[in-house]
Amino acid sequence: MTSYQTKFAIETKLLNKTYRNKKSSTNKHALKDVSIEIEHGQIYGLLGPNGAGKSTFINILGNLVLKTSGMAKIWGYDIEKNPRNARSAIGIVPQELNLDPFFTPIEVLETQAGLYGGPKNERHSMELLKTLRLEDQAHAYARSLSGGMRRRLLLAKAMTHKPPVLVLDEPTAGVDIELRHQLWEYVKKLNKEGTTILLTTHYLEEAQSLCDRIGIINHGKVVADAPTKDLINSLDRKQVLIKTEESLNVCPSLDGVTEVTLDEENILNIIYQPTKIDFNYILAQLQDKKINIRDIITKEADLEDIFLELTNTNE
Ligand code: ADP
Ligand code: MG
């Protein structure tokens, strides 16, 4: 499945999901008009706090949750009109580590291959297990596997039918740092080999270091969707730390800045909006006050700042 049906590996238009609770008749509008386009070959990160709707979005793509309205296509195949093709174009690693405790990894992969109508092929399954460093556990019951091993097995399971799109729902939640880095390397490797990746995370660092493009979702709504770099650049907030020649006893007041404080080390901490004032204007004010500068450190905005800014606002 290498021919491209459309420009996008995943495309959704005005996707909505309302979970209906018949007992209490309370409804949860978990996705609100979510339109996302993921290009072939991208690593796309869907970022958002708990309860934002990330798993709902992914589970709709994987046909585990029924959408209420809107459109979703995988590899050009509409999940409703062409469910078989859509399903074979995608592999999903769910957030929950749900595995049959009495299946061995090799059996898990062979069963999965069978489900997708592919020929059973122990050699391919073994190769997958090797790649994910599970070959020693190939014939052990799943219940004896550690959390990290289970997650790697689920990853192998999602890859058995060699889908062009791999979706990982919070792949590194609760995973130790070493395994996290291993998973990142594996995701990067798959992507280099041509797999389009969609992952959800609430780790900003993860999204920032892995993803080409980031969508931020909050309360079911997409609040940002841009190339990672642009997202970081878009934040109109800069921080500069200024070390002065002589110790300052009082914090000088500065015109036009967002905040100025003097810390214990006698370092001036200035926050300003680069689109509103010029840094030279800050320097000129310091000069007027006869404050001599020894050192200046500027801090780039990171995703954490953007995330807080976008998700802090209530609905
Ligand atoms: P995330 O993966 O970003 O943490 P989810 O998609 O799991 O978010 O959940 C989005 C919202 O939908 C949450 O408020 C959650 O409680 C609710 N929700 C999820 N699954 C169900 C369900 N099966 N029935 C009712 N509400 C649900
Ligand atoms: Mg989730």
Side-chain angles (χ1 to χ4, degrees), residues 122-276:
E122 289 227 9
R123 208 170 51 82
H124 172 62
S125 297
M126 207 56 205
E127 264 167 31
L128 257 179
L129 291 178
K130 255 189 207 140
T131 314
L132 289 160
R133 280 176 247 174
L134 283 170
E135 71 266 38
D136 292 344
Q137 286 77 30
H139 301 285
Y141 282 145
R143 62 173 180 175
S144 69
L145 304 181
S146 69
M149 290 172 183
R150 283 172 202 217
R151 201 171 291 276
R152 294 201 307 272
L153 176 55
L154 285 168
L155 192 52
K157 188 179 166 193
M159 290 305 294
T160 42
H161 61 293
K162 301 181 183 160
V165 184
L166 179 67
V167 178
L168 302 131
D169 196 0
E170 308 236 8
T172 60
V175 158
D176 67 42
I177 291 180
E178 199 193 324
L179 180 59
R180 186 178 304 175
H181 286 281
Q182 279 177 21
L183 281 168
W184 289 6
E185 288 315 309
Y186 185 63
V187 164
K188 280 185 198 160
K189 179 173 168 277
L190 280 174
N191 180 250
K192 272 216 186 86
E193 291 164 2
T195 308
T196 303
I197 313 268
L198 162 61
L199 62 90
T200 73
T201 182
H202 57 257
Y203 294 115
L204 305 157
E205 187 207 346
E206 182 157 279
Q208 197 164 355
S209 64
L210 270 184
C211 303
D212 305 309
R213 192 178 176 94
I214 290 174
I216 299 179
I217 185 169
N218 195 34
H219 298 298
K221 256 195 260 177
V222 176
V223 291
D225 181 10
T228 307
K229 235 176 154 183
D230 294 359
L231 205 60
I232 292 165
N233 287 343
S234 74
L235 191 71
D236 189 22
R237 181 184 188 275
K238 248 194 174 148
Q239 184 181 20
V240 273
L241 302 176
I242 293 179
K243 211 171 175 166
T244 54
E245 286 294 348
E246 303 86 23
S247 286
L248 299 169
N249 294 319
V250 284
C251 183
S253 65
L254 293 171
D255 179 42
V257 303
T258 311
E259 198 185 307
V260 52
T261 49
L262 187 63
D263 72 12
E264 293 104 274
E265 320 273 330
N266 233 283
I267 291 171
L268 266 181
N269 190 337
I270 300 168
I271 293 166
Y272 70 101
Q273 289 176 281
T275 61
K276 299 243 167 71

Side-chain angles (χ1 to χ4, degrees), residues 289-306:
K289 293 177 197 292
K290 308 266 181 291
I291 295 172
N292 296 312
I293 295 166
R294 183 184 294 172
D295 206 1
I296 300 178
I297 303 160
T298 58
K299 284 194 169 176
E300 294 298 324
D302 68 11
L303 263 177
E304 185 111 31
D305 303 315
I306 298 170

Side-chain angles (χ1 to χ4, degrees), residues 20-33:
R20 300 200 191 280
N21 186 333
K22 286 183 194 104
K23 272 190 211 138
S24 64
S25 71
T26 50
N27 295 332
K28 174 76 204 177
H29 198 171
L31 288 184
K32 296 168 188 161
D33 291 342

